[in-house]
Amino acid sequence: MKLASLNTGHPDGALIVVSRDLRHAVRADAVAPTLRAALDDWTRAEPALRALYTALNAGTAGTAANAFDFDAHACTAPLPRTHQFIDASAFLNHGRIMTQAYHPEKQSDPTTPVLIQRQADDFAGPHADYPFPDEADHCDFEGEVGVILGDVPMGTRPADALDHVRLVVLFNDVSMRKHLFRELGMGFGFILAKPATAFAPVAVTPDELGDAWRDGRVQLDMEVSRNGQRFGSPNGREMSFGFHELIAYIAYNRNLRAGMLLGSGTFSNVDYRQTGSACLAEQRAIETLEHGESRTPWLRFGERLRFEMKGRDGQSIFGAIDHRFVQADYVQADYMQQNVTSGVDA
């Protein structure tokens, strides 16, 4: 099943059901006005939404009459806001590359996942221009997948955790590297380093991934391009901790509530010379290791990024994120110029 949210001006958009080939859609108002509402009442909503999906794909008369052409440009993020977003760094290969390049003296624990609480109140849509204040912030991208959960009881074990995955999403976790290491060094978390996250237009139930949804991982290539040129196509199979393990770790001493988003961390493969990367920081770290200096520039105003993931049949699963980075339409405050200093330039 594929779901999306139309941009109606409402903070949560309007829920629609999208055909498997991403060509048509139908409003789901009779089932739930928004995806947030559907997640809160999933036991009732899911069968009704799936019936709409089946009818839409089959072209059944009643549903077909109400169908319209699907336009990803008219969509927000599938879940435009939620109450909790936890992001992982679950590809240990990415961490190894970054550590070797900049902190070779540090040792990480390969048995414990790295997770961080993130902002969840303002997710960006797939085709909207992405504003940021200053190129000196060292704008970066991170191609990830995430899962949207139903209620997860405290103490859920890995063997049962995937039963609580409702939807899978694709996103670009935008980063401002100038601020990232400084904020990490302060001992809490990210604020300026991690502005709004941008999502592909469609969220899918795990069955839409077929046999690529295996071991709690999305085992497909993520196609990343910068200004129309291939940047990388790493595969999700090398995720060091599956989503079932991440969910169980987080639920060790707390309940998780419907609508929580959990991210994978940037895709990263050991064979990076063949697959490329899904973020600039990793590419720059590889260049530092191989050439003694980074050569790939950070994002500049006017650049365009595209992220897409296709199934075994070549069909786009989530639709694409295809967005342009632009200068924010306000004047940077003097406070920022005077009081925020650069951290390690990764």
Side-chain angles (χ1 to χ4, degrees):
M1 180 168 62
K2 299 191 175 187
L3 304 174
S5 295
L6 288 179
N7 186 353
T8 62
H10 186 279
D12 298 314
L15 180 62
I16 59 174
V17 177
V18 183
S19 63
R20 181 170 286 113
D21 61 9
L22 305 182
R23 294 179 59 191
H24 304 290
V26 65
R27 294 282 292 251
D29 307 68
V31 179
T34 67
L35 183 53
R36 282 167 62 98
L39 290 164
D40 284 339
D41 193 16
W42 193 250
T43 301
R44 180 197 64 82
E46 190 273 341
L49 292 171
R50 193 169 289 277
L52 270 178
Y53 183 63
T54 300
L56 180 63
N57 287 318
T60 303
T63 301
N66 294 315
F68 52 89
D69 291 341
F70 176 63
D71 179 8
H73 290 79
C75 292
T76 64
L79 191 64
R81 59 176 180 166
T82 193
H83 58 279
Q84 181 163 228
F85 171 21
I86 294 179
D87 201 16
S89 183
F91 288 81
L92 294 183
N93 183 65
H94 174 71
R96 282 192 292 267
I97 291 170
M98 299 299 291
T99 298
Q100 288 170 13
Y102 301 112
H103 301 286
E105 75 285 356
K106 291 189 176 180
Q107 298 294 322
S108 59
D109 180 359
T111 66
T112 304
V114 177
L115 299 140
I116 191 165
Q117 296 273 5
R118 293 287 308 284
Q119 302 94 318
D121 57 339
D122 183 31
F123 294 144
H127 295 291
D129 283 349
Y130 193 102
F132 68 103
D134 194 336
E135 290 177 345
D137 288 339
H138 298 163
C139 184
D140 194 0
F141 53 87
E142 296 188 39
E144 304 191 24
V145 294
V147 293
I148 298 173
L149 304 178
D151 286 337
V152 181
M154 183 171 66
T156 292
R157 297 182 179 276
D160 303 316
L162 295 183
D163 293 341
H164 303 287
V165 172
R166 300 292 180 249
L167 297 164
V168 184
V169 292
L170 169 68
F171 62 89
N172 173 15
D173 190 37
V174 178
S175 301
M176 300 296 167
R177 297 290 175 179
K178 173 182 177 179
H179 304 290
L180 190 144
F181 288 97
R182 177 182 60 83
E183 291 185 335
L184 276 178
M186 294 167 67
F188 257 31
F190 302 136
I191 299 296
L192 300 184
K194 291 288 188 178
T197 302
F199 287 76
V202 174
V204 308
T205 48
D207 58 288
E208 291 291 331
L209 300 170
D211 64 0
W213 176 246
R214 190 165 68 252
D215 301 327
R217 295 160 172 85
V218 179
Q219 302 196 23
L220 292 169
D221 292 344
M222 180 181 296
E223 301 173 7
V224 183
S225 66
R226 181 182 187 181
N227 301 320
Q229 300 296 313
R230 176 187 179 272
F231 189 85
S233 55
N235 192 287
R237 72 172 67 93
E238 292 184 32
M239 191 174 170
S240 303
F241 300 94
F243 279 112
H244 56 305
E245 295 165 306
L246 298 176
I247 294 166
Y249 182 86
I250 299 167
Y252 167 72
N253 61 0
R254 74 198 70 193
N255 297 309
L256 310 177
R257 295 305 181 194
M260 177 185 144
L261 170 68
L262 173 60
S264 65
T266 186
F267 274 34
S268 179
N269 290 170
V270 172
D271 190 15
Y272 54 77
R273 289 183 180 86
Q274 294 297 319
T275 66
S277 298
C279 83
L280 287 173
E282 180 173 298
Q283 177 62 30
R284 288 169 59 88
I286 292 167
E287 292 166 349
T288 297
L289 290 170
E290 295 185 346
H291 307 294
E293 63 178 1
S294 56
R295 300 175 175 179
T296 300
W298 303 111
L299 288 177
R300 295 190 177 277
F301 300 135
E303 293 202 66
R304 182 175 292 276
L305 295 176
R306 182 180 176 90
F307 302 79
E308 192 169 18
M309 188 172 281
K310 296 177 181 177
R312 310 289 193 207
D313 59 358
Q315 168 68 46
S316 181
I317 294 173
F318 305 96
I321 305 168
D322 190 341
H323 56 172
R324 187 172 60 111
F325 285 72
V326 300
Q327 187 166 22
D329 59 354
Y330 70 93
V331 176
Q332 181 74 342
D334 289 342
Y335 172 84
M336 297 299 296
Q337 301 283 355
Q338 297 169 6
N339 294 281
V340 176
T341 58
S342 176
V344 175
D345 182 5

